[in-house]
Amino acid sequence: MDDSALIDVALTVNGTHYQRQVESRLLLSDFLRHDLGLTGTHVGCEHGVCGACTILLDGEAVRACLLFAAQVRGSTITTVEGLAAADGTLHPLQEAFRQAHGLQCGFCTPGFLLTLVPFLAENPNPDDREIRQAISGNLCRCTGYQGIVDAVRSLSRTGAPKPAHEAET
Amino acid sequence: MKPAPFRYFAPETLDEALSLLAEHGDEAKPLAGGQSLVPAMNFRLAQPAVLVDLNRIAALSFIRPDDAGGVVVGAMTRQRAVEHSELVAARAPLVTETVPYIAHAQIRNRGTFGGSLAHADPASELPAVALALDAQFTLACRSGQRVVPAEAFYTDLFETACGHEELLVDVRLPTAAAGSGFAFEELARRHGDYALVGVAVAVQRGADGTLIDARMAYLSVGPGPVLATRASASLLGTRGETEALRVAASLAAHEDIVDPPSDIHATAAYRRHLIEVLTVRALTRACSRAQEGA
Ligand SMILES: Cc1cc2nc3c(=O)[nH]c(=O)nc-3n(C[C@H](O)[C@H](O)[C@H](O)COP(=O)(O)OP(=O)(O)OC[C@H]3O[C@@H](n4cnc5c(N)ncnc54)[C@H](O)[C@@H]3O)c2cc1C
Ligand code: FES
Ligand code: FES
């Protein structure tokens, strides 16, 4: 194998199966955006600090900028594009963000949503301190976070269901 | 902000991984959770020619009891799994108390116990905890295994006893003996940031209630995790009275090997001040827990 040898990757993203060949050094964030055209996963810092690239890898929130595409062979991934239903109905967490002004420019929003979906599944009833701790690994330069905390709190009795494509299966 | 090219291998057994490391020598780096290595590669601070991805080696991911009452954690066990392990909470409560201070949940979902210990960042929490607990590190290479105590594992800034052809395979955390107590304290600017100073302490009371063992280990005060041996020894024979804790804290802040840096986050003087404050807090909690255990 020389340096430019391509590696086969087969995986499921938002319920769709993909098969591609990748260079070893291709970051998962770039694979999602450039190879699969799923540009909802945003890239802010590429060193794990900002949280904009957060996705679900086999159900767990992780940084897509700190994984190589070659590593996720056989995995199941959810990106922000997989949250809403096929008819465009927003996921309840997205709807809550909309209602509570949980976003302004929206750059950070995909990362917040994918951090919070598994958090709410594990803690359906978080208090404000727990919510703030849960989003401590995501930076937002617009909202001042209050709208985001309000959005999560508005769901805290009902919890957030699974992403649409997972609920269907 | 993109990594340089490298050859990628994803072995499924430890033997294969060790052969690859032996074959490629110091050109190769093992990839664990990637939460320190990949940022360094993205910045091109690290440009390994070969990456040996350990994530498909299932045998390196486990938490199991050992016969002596302690617990053994496989190197590839995710920090998140350690955080939620009941066995670790029962047998190594200092680890359970400390792991939530590492970064954020998304980082701990991927970052590994062994990766953090092997990385040897002087600002990271787990190396100090390993020193306080006198943890034993198992290193493997193609020709066999050896066990290295935490104190001998950490040699210098980002340097450890683990050779290029070796892997850290597991870490043994000794049992919490009767009469022992633990505590962790740190101060960070924001939740999840690397700490300005942190301290992990383990103490043990004898039958008469006096301290018969004490280990105080620090992060962010030197080139690696630092065990304040002179300060720790000053506690022996005392009952952990407030005055004894103050003396130990002051000794720790001025021990030769305690040499906190001045940087954009804090001055060395402020860090020394924090060493004293945090040490008293940690020792107070550890000693009162030890009382309960005796
Ligand atoms: C935003 C952010 C904040 C963070 N904050 C903190 C923090 O507050 N405290 C903290 O402690 N850490 C923090 N980290 C680092 C995190 O804990 C890493 O997970 C950890 O330092 C390295 O573990 P890893 O499994 O990701 O290892 P990797 O990044 O994969 O590897 C790190 C190094 O160790 C070597 N290595 C890994 N495993 C082995 C092995 N089994 N044998 C031999 N060598 C090995 C690798 O070759 C590499 O050189 C942070 C990271 C990020 C991105
Ligand atoms: S782009 Fe991945 S954390 Fe910032
Ligand atoms: S909405 Fe603009 S960064 Fe968060």
Side-chain angles (χ1 to χ4, degrees):
Chain A
M1 188 176 102
D2 65 49
D3 287 354
S4 58
L6 295 176
I7 299 165
D8 288 315
V9 182
L11 78 170
T12 304
V13 183
N14 302 331
T16 304
H17 190 72
Y18 294 91
Q19 205 153 356
R20 292 287 188 279
Q21 291 198 312
V22 298
E23 221 188 316
S24 58
R25 63 171 169 159
L26 182 68
L27 296 174
L28 178 58
S29 41
D30 290 335
F31 174 73
L32 293 169
R33 291 174 57 81
H34 304 304
D35 291 48
L36 302 190
L38 297 170
T39 53
T41 299
H42 291 168
V43 172
C45 68
E46 288 187 331
H47 62 281
V49 171
C50 75
C53 68
T54 304
I55 54 146
L56 301 187
L57 174 65
D58 296 324
E60 292 192 326
V62 297
R63 306 292 205 221
C65 72
L66 300 186
L67 280 158
F68 296 109
Q71 294 187 273
V72 298
R73 169 166 60 91
S75 305
T76 300
I77 285 176
T78 302
T79 67
V80 68
E81 289 92 341
L83 288 181
D87 68 359
T89 309
L90 292 181
H91 181 278
L93 185 61
Q94 289 173 306
E95 186 57 35
F97 265 58
R98 196 166 82 90
Q99 295 295 337
H101 298 284
L103 66 153
Q104 286 176 31
C105 78
F107 191 84
C108 67
T109 313
F112 273 92
L113 294 171
L114 290 154
T115 296
L116 287 165
V117 165
F119 169 72
L120 282 167
E122 261 179 53
N123 312 275
N125 234 328
D127 60 30
D128 278 19
R129 198 190 57 85
E130 290 165 329
I131 296 170
R132 284 185 182 274
Q133 189 143 328
I135 60 172
S136 67
N138 294 77
L139 297 179
C140 174
R141 295 286 86 143
C142 300
T143 64
Y145 303 99
Q146 191 55 47
I148 296 172
V149 175
D150 292 345
V152 182
R153 197 192 305 108
S154 75
L155 281 182
S156 88
R157 239 170 302 117
T158 52
K162 287 181 171 278
H165 75 88
E166 285 183 29
E168 284 158 15
T169 53
Chain B
M1 293 294 289
K2 306 291 176 193
F6 56 85
R7 292 173 70 189
Y8 174 78
F9 296 95
E12 299 196 348
T13 66
L14 178 60
D15 282 349
E16 276 175 80
L18 293 172
S19 297
L20 284 163
L21 291 176
E23 186 184 331
H24 296 285
D26 62 4
E27 299 233 289
K29 264 204 175 291
L31 172 65
Q35 304 299 292
S36 294
L37 182 54
V38 180
M41 290 175 67
N42 287 354
F43 279 123
R44 301 214 175 180
L45 294 171
Q47 302 195 14
V50 174
L51 269 195
V52 179
D53 186 351
L54 308 179
N55 284 282
R56 298 209 176 245
I57 309 178
L60 288 180
S61 181
F62 62 84
I63 300 174
R64 62 174 174 244
D66 78 357
D67 299 340
V71 51
V72 187
V73 181
M76 285 302 293
T77 311
R78 307 285 171 200
Q79 292 158 7
R80 191 82 164 149
V82 174
E83 181 179 353
H84 294 292
S85 159
E86 286 176 19
L87 189 64
V88 173
R91 298 189 171 198
L94 179 60
V95 174
T96 307
E97 176 168 320
T98 307
V99 174
Y101 288 96
I102 304 172
H104 313 285
Q106 303 102 317
I107 309 285
R108 297 195 296 275
N109 276 340
R110 192 72 196 166
T112 65
F113 192 70
S116 173
L117 289 167
H119 188 51
D121 186 325
S124 65
E125 287 83 3
L126 289 178
V129 166
L131 270 189
L133 291 180
D134 195 13
Q136 307 291 312
F137 292 51
T138 309
L139 304 179
C141 68
R142 241 181 354 173
S143 54
Q145 297 202 337
R146 61 186 178 124
V147 176
V148 176
E151 268 180 88
F153 184 76
Y154 292 103
T155 53
D156 206 344
L157 186 64
F158 294 105
E159 294 284 338
T160 71
C162 186
H164 290 304
E165 303 192 357
E166 283 182 308
L167 280 176
L168 174 62
V169 290
D170 65 43
V171 177
R172 188 172 302 265
L173 306 165
T175 175
S180 57
F182 309 92
F184 181 83
E185 289 282 346
E186 74 169 36
L187 190 86
R189 295 239 158 192
R190 288 170 298 259
H191 177 84
D193 278 10
Y194 283 102
L196 298 177
V197 168
V199 56
V201 301
V203 300
Q204 189 187 358
R205 288 186 196 278
D208 65 356
T210 58
L211 294 175
I212 55 171
D213 195 15
R215 292 172 72 89
M216 301 152 52
Y218 294 85
L219 50 121
S220 293
V221 306
V226 169
L227 191 66
T229 40
R230 208 155 55 89
S232 302
S234 78
L235 288 165
L236 303 186
T238 74
R239 298 185 159 270
E241 308 84 346
T242 311
E243 190 47 35
L245 305 190
R246 283 217 189 94
V247 169
S250 165
L251 280 172
H254 299 97
E255 223 169 278
D256 283 349
I257 49 166
V258 174
D259 186 18
S262 277
D263 56 27
I264 53 166
H265 305 294
T267 61
Y270 180 56
R271 284 195 162 94
R272 277 191 208 280
H273 169 73
L274 284 179
I275 292 172
E276 294 205 33
V277 173
L278 297 178
T279 302
V280 171
R281 277 187 207 162
L283 283 173
T284 304
R285 270 195 306 131
C287 287
S288 81
R289 286 172 175 171
Q291 211 121 33
E292 291 152 20

